[in-house]
Amino acid sequence: MTEMSTTTIPTSMPGVRLPGDSTVEHVTLPVPEPGPGQVLLRMRASSICGSDIRAIYREHLGHGAEAYQGVVGGHEPCGDVALLGPGVVDLAVGDRVVVYHIAGCQRCDECRRGYPIGCTSAQRAAHGWQRDGGHADYMLADAVSCLPLPDSLTHVDGALVSCGFGTAYEGLLRGRVSGRDRLLVTGLGPVGLAAAMLGRHLGATTVIGSDPSPERAALALELGLVDAAITDASTLDDVVAEHTGDHGVEVSIDCSGHPDARHAALRSTAVRGRCVFVGEGGTVDFAVSDLMIHKQLEVHGSWVTSLHHMAELLTLLDRWGEHPERVVTDRLPLAHADRAYELAAAGAAGKVVITWDER
């Protein structure tokens, strides 16, 4: 039997699906019952990711891991445990949890390393892509995917960690950012803002950001996340030279997926520096000898994060007294999900979040 919540759980709930063509579909669904090893979560916050816009909201472009299968949207959920399925012993009703949004087979090499994102099993399913996500009042999750949310962090903080901030943190770890480094972030969307914020905490002495959106550049400066924010790409080389004495940055991270921004990240990285790509999609064309081999660069691709690193990030945010929700510019209820997606798709906002009654 499931362990029951002290509050009454309805039999039906509102939810949101994403049929493509830049539209949001509001639906009414039955509240699911948790099976063995599962929990039912009452949603408190469910934020919108750039991948939702790129590969689902505008048009269903994905295949494989990014194949959208008509489920409830939202792969950045945070909520409270409402019901326990059979066999769940390490969670309790009322626990506040962040959800690692991919459930893998738990047997392959990537899953055993703690990276279900890389699972290639047919069992792999991501919330908001192949299994119902956080854009509904309740969501089923595997207990092994749930991480405790520290008391100091809000549900919105937790939602942002579940993908965007986790992705940024993993990329910075790949780049080994420390107090010895200056950091360039190309793309100041939500993941770029996260990279700038976390890069500063990890010790980067100078943080430079670039984005064509004046609103996003202004937000990064207003929040104190960057020392300089460039909107005119033609000035980037000069600004990097000014802040690094013509040496370039020790670490660059592209969060945009745009070929010009990727090229700029490579170009701006110092000899023997590290360049990390986390922005999805697109291509890049560059002179391999000039920009990589002769500079002896390390170039990394980084995809989301691990369960361990996500838990580590939650601990660090608690220790630092930091709140990812600082990059949130818009909060809307589920009933206004269409407007939330419009704002996120416009590319000028910070993070956009669907919220319930989060603390």
Side-chain angles (χ1 to χ4, degrees):
M1 293 179 61
T2 59
E3 181 177 325
M4 298 301 295
S5 169
T6 56
T7 60
T8 301
I9 296 175
T11 57
S12 64
M13 63 180 180
V16 161
R17 292 175 177 151
L18 302 171
D21 196 27
S22 298
T23 57
V24 165
E25 179 185 13
H26 290 270
V27 295
T28 300
L29 303 162
V31 174
E33 177 82 10
Q38 293 183 323
V39 294
L40 181 70
L41 301 180
R42 182 182 177 191
M43 285 294 95
R44 301 296 192 179
S46 182
S47 44
I48 297 174
C49 178
S51 293
D52 295 323
I53 302 300
R54 175 182 56 81
I56 305 179
Y57 176 65
R58 292 187 178 121
E59 186 178 358
H60 296 172
L61 297 176
H63 60 276
E66 285 199 336
Y68 176 64
Q69 296 181 359
V71 298
V72 172
H75 68 266
E76 298 189 344
C78 186
D80 300 337
V81 176
L83 287 177
L84 302 179
V88 177
V89 296
D90 54 352
L91 290 172
V93 171
D95 283 354
R96 305 162 68 241
V97 296
V98 178
V99 182
Y100 187 96
H101 68 273
I102 306 100
C105 67
Q106 301 184 45
R107 296 184 301 276
C108 69
D109 287 345
E110 287 300 291
C111 282
R112 291 182 187 277
R113 289 188 179 101
Y115 287 89
I117 182 68
C119 179
T120 57
S121 165
Q123 296 174 250
R124 180 196 189 278
H127 291 288
W129 297 87
Q130 297 89 33
R131 62 187 297 185
D132 285 340
H135 293 355
D137 285 357
Y138 292 88
M139 186 187 86
L140 278 185
D142 293 347
V144 296
S145 300
C146 295
L147 299 173
L149 179 66
D151 290 342
S152 67
L153 300 181
T154 69
H155 288 98
V156 172
D157 289 327
L160 270 59
V161 167
S162 67
C163 180
F165 269 73
T167 295
Y169 183 60
E170 185 76 19
L172 294 169
L173 293 181
R174 296 287 176 87
R176 303 192 303 281
V177 174
S178 74
R180 299 173 298 176
D181 302 320
R182 293 159 294 192
L183 174 67
L184 170 66
V185 180
T186 53
L188 291 173
V191 174
L193 294 171
M197 178 188 291
L198 299 177
R200 185 85 80 186
H201 279 291
L202 291 172
T205 56
T206 300
V207 181
I208 303 167
S210 70
D211 196 288
S213 165
E215 293 88 352
R216 284 180 165 171
L219 178 62
L221 287 168
E222 177 187 341
L223 295 176
L225 305 183
V226 297
D227 299 290
I230 297 96
T231 57
D232 182 353
S234 68
T235 67
L236 178 60
D237 291 353
D238 290 339
V239 173
V240 170
E242 176 187 347
H243 282 81
T244 65
D246 286 326
H247 294 294
V249 295
E250 286 73 24
V251 183
S252 62
I253 181 167
D254 175 65
C255 304
S256 72
H258 193 282
D260 292 343
R262 287 173 172 158
H263 194 280
L266 287 163
R267 190 175 67 246
S268 301
T269 305
V271 172
R272 296 186 182 275
R274 289 90 67 195
C275 179
V276 184
F277 289 170
V278 300
E280 292 268 14
T283 61
V284 63
D285 182 26
F286 64 94
V288 174
S289 291
D290 290 344
L291 287 186
M292 187 172 74
I293 295 175
H294 295 173
K295 290 173 67 176
Q296 303 193 68
L297 295 191
E298 294 180 27
V299 180
H300 298 270
S302 186
W303 191 19
V304 188
T305 190
S306 68
L307 278 157
H308 171 71
H309 285 155
M310 187 175 287
E312 181 177 86
L313 176 57
L314 289 166
T315 299
L316 288 173
L317 290 168
D318 179 44
R319 184 191 308 170
W320 293 332
E322 183 60 272
H323 288 280
E325 70 175 344
R326 288 205 293 133
V327 307
V328 172
T329 54
D330 299 274
R331 303 166 187 245
L332 296 96
L334 184 66
H336 296 163
D338 51 350
R339 178 57 181 158
Y341 270 86
E342 288 173 1
L343 288 167
K351 195 69 171 180
V352 180
V353 186
I354 293 171
T355 62
W356 285 260
D357 53 345
E358 100 290 339
R359 47 165 274 186

